[in-house]
Amino acid sequence: MTEAAEHTPHVPPGPTQYRILLVEDDLGDALLVEELLHDTGLRFELTTRTTLADARTELVTGRADCVLLDLHLPDVSGIAALTAVRTLAPHTAVIVLTGLSEAQAGTEAMAAGAQDYLVKGKVEADLLHRTVRYAVYRSRTERANAEAQAARQRAEENARLERGLLPQPILDTSSVQVTSRYLPGAAMALLGGDFLDVVEGDDGRLHAVVGDVSGHGPDAAALGVFLRIAWRSLVLGGHRGEELLHLMERILIAERASHSLFATCTLLVLDQRAGTVTLHLAGHHEPLLTTVEGTREVTAAHGIALGIVPGLRSWPSTTVPLPPDGALTLYTDGLTEGHSGADHERLGVEGLLTLIGSLPPADPGAHVDRLIQETHRLNAGRHSDDLAVLRLDWGNLSSPS
């Protein structure tokens, strides 16, 4: 065994029982190892295999906390044996067993990823006890560090996607208050393909979009970012309505990873001076209009989702007069596709409107947060779809002519 391991000052307590896999083709050596393990005082469960092929099931299923590996097996030998074990069980501790004449083998094995090595014929119970405990501890620490690093990378990727999917609104002179929220559909998951944005044009009109790319995961999220950035660029470039949707569809077709991916979206243009809102629905549902009289769904013409029938260009517009004071809420399906309670029926738009009507008055941000909280409560933790909400509040709009 290595000198460093022999002088390890402290090894934290290990599991109450170690699952040890011995891969050794010499039956005499295997018997000696088993007897030494009994002398260590460790609680253990020993499985012995004579070839790497026979040990494959235990390795790939994670049934071992520690592998005691002879470097000379009938089907593989040397560092190749260790490499094969590490490939099959990358997070399992491996202790290499070497012969008296193999002075360099143990050092080379540790450089190749083994936690430690033992020289046959020079192993005592105390040494084996400390070696097993320390190897398992090191392996589990390395695994925890790797998982923490992976979590940090996921968080960083989510942050990058958030910047792409949830940008800061571009508002110059508009007095409209913008509230936005986004929740991924699953814990630890990458953000999905929902996206939203708000931009004030040079003419003072407020442009907004809420969209939803089919599917979840990085492909949907990346496509959502492409479409959101394309929408902002095209709007600032002066594109509007059907032409804007046609260009977004072309970008979707060029960037999507699979022909099965499509996107729905609602485009909104709020004209504060005219007191109107113009809508284009591309396979998406209508926004909700909140006034002093309550909240209702805006009636608007429907068009086809982007990427379903490329080139069809069926996106009629609807212009609706607005009250001097009010709010419009655009949202994706994650807000309505959950269950409405113990009856397990979908919440739907009607259920959402009923829920909104039951909420106490609050400022826009608190109101949206409470709405999301209540939909999740009714869904009893079964939230699985991504959710994006965009609310626009205004006051003192000009009356429509």
Side-chain angles (χ1 to χ4, degrees):
M1 181 177 177
T2 61
E3 183 177 352
E6 288 182 12
H7 292 86
T8 302
H10 172 68
V11 178
T16 56
Q17 178 166 291
Y18 292 90
R19 298 172 301 171
I20 298 175
L21 172 63
L22 172 61
V23 188
E24 169 65 76
D25 65 318
D26 188 308
L27 297 182
D29 286 345
L31 181 60
L32 288 175
V33 170
E34 183 175 1
E35 291 176 350
L36 276 172
L37 283 170
H38 283 291
D39 292 340
T40 63
L42 292 173
R43 294 186 58 195
F44 67 93
E45 174 188 321
L46 180 65
T47 301
T48 303
R49 296 289 181 264
T50 58
T51 66
L52 181 62
D54 290 341
R56 180 178 295 271
T57 299
E58 284 76 18
L59 292 170
V60 298
T61 56
R63 296 179 186 174
D65 300 308
C66 180
V67 178
L68 300 177
L69 175 66
D70 179 30
L71 287 183
H72 299 287
L73 299 172
D75 51 350
V76 63
S77 63
I79 297 302
L82 172 62
T83 302
V85 170
R86 294 285 293 170
T87 300
L88 294 171
H91 300 299
T92 300
V94 181
I95 300 172
V96 165
L97 305 177
T98 69
L100 289 171
S101 62
E102 299 174 301
Q104 296 298 318
T107 303
E108 293 173 356
M110 290 189 66
Q115 268 67 43
D116 214 326
Y117 71 93
L118 295 170
V119 179
K120 295 179 182 180
K122 296 183 64 177
V123 182
E124 297 179 354
D126 288 345
L127 178 59
L128 182 58
H129 179 280
R130 285 186 286 114
T131 302
V132 169
R133 290 181 59 197
Y134 182 63
V136 172
Y137 169 69
R138 278 189 58 194
S139 177
R140 293 188 172 183
T141 300
E142 290 170 359
R143 180 173 186 172
N145 290 338
E147 290 175 348
Q149 177 64 20
R152 285 193 294 270
Q153 290 175 345
R154 283 194 296 266
E156 291 170 359
E157 182 65 16
N158 271 345
R160 287 192 292 272
L161 287 170
E162 279 193 31
R163 289 193 293 271
L165 291 166
L166 305 174
Q168 289 295 317
I170 298 180
L171 302 175
D172 297 322
T173 62
S174 175
S175 60
V176 174
Q177 181 179 351
V178 177
T179 303
S180 63
R181 297 290 187 270
Y182 185 101
L183 290 177
M188 300 297 290
L190 290 173
L191 295 177
D194 290 8
F195 59 95
L196 54 85
D197 202 353
V198 179
V199 168
E200 182 180 348
D202 292 336
D203 56 6
R205 293 184 176 92
L206 200 68
H207 301 263
V209 63
V210 164
D212 183 359
V213 177
S214 61
H216 304 277
D219 287 341
L223 189 54
V225 172
F226 279 128
L227 292 177
R228 203 282 305 165
I229 294 174
W231 176 87
R232 175 174 282 202
S233 301
L234 292 168
V235 166
L236 292 176
H239 298 279
R240 303 289 184 265
E242 182 182 289
E243 179 194 16
L244 171 58
L245 287 166
H246 170 63
L247 294 173
M248 290 178 65
E249 183 174 61
R250 290 187 61 186
I251 292 169
L252 179 147
I253 293 169
E255 298 293 346
R256 64 185 176 184
S258 167
H259 289 295
S260 63
L261 288 178
F262 63 92
T264 68
C265 66
T266 293
L267 304 188
L268 176 153
V269 181
L270 195 157
D271 190 331
Q272 293 175 259
R273 285 176 291 188
T276 62
V277 63
T278 299
L279 301 170
H280 286 83
L281 308 180
H284 212 74
H285 39 69
E286 298 94 331
L288 305 179
L289 175 62
T290 299
T291 68
V292 293
E293 299 175 350
T295 300
R296 62 178 177 84
E297 195 172 33
V298 177
T299 301
H302 284 261
I304 193 169
L306 306 182
I308 295 291
V309 185
L312 182 60
R313 300 180 67 155
S314 175
W315 302 295
S317 65
T318 301
T319 300
V320 178
L322 296 176
D325 300 274
L328 281 165
T329 301
L330 294 81
Y331 59 94
T332 56
D333 290 340
L335 197 63
T336 57
E337 287 194 343
H339 297 84
S340 60
D343 55 8
H344 300 298
E345 292 185 2
R346 294 292 181 182
L347 182 65
V349 177
E350 291 301 320
L352 181 63
L353 291 173
T354 300
L355 179 58
I356 291 173
S358 68
L359 296 180
D363 65 83
H367 186 274
V368 171
D369 290 336
R370 181 68 182 275
L371 179 60
I372 294 173
Q373 178 184 357
E374 286 301 305
T375 58
H376 286 182
R377 182 186 63 80
L378 289 173
N379 202 24
R382 293 182 292 262
H383 173 54
S384 60
D385 200 3
D386 305 304
L387 184 157
V389 180
L390 175 63
R391 173 167 164 157
L392 307 175
D393 285 77
W394 66 85
N396 302 316
L397 284 187
S398 300
S399 299
S401 56

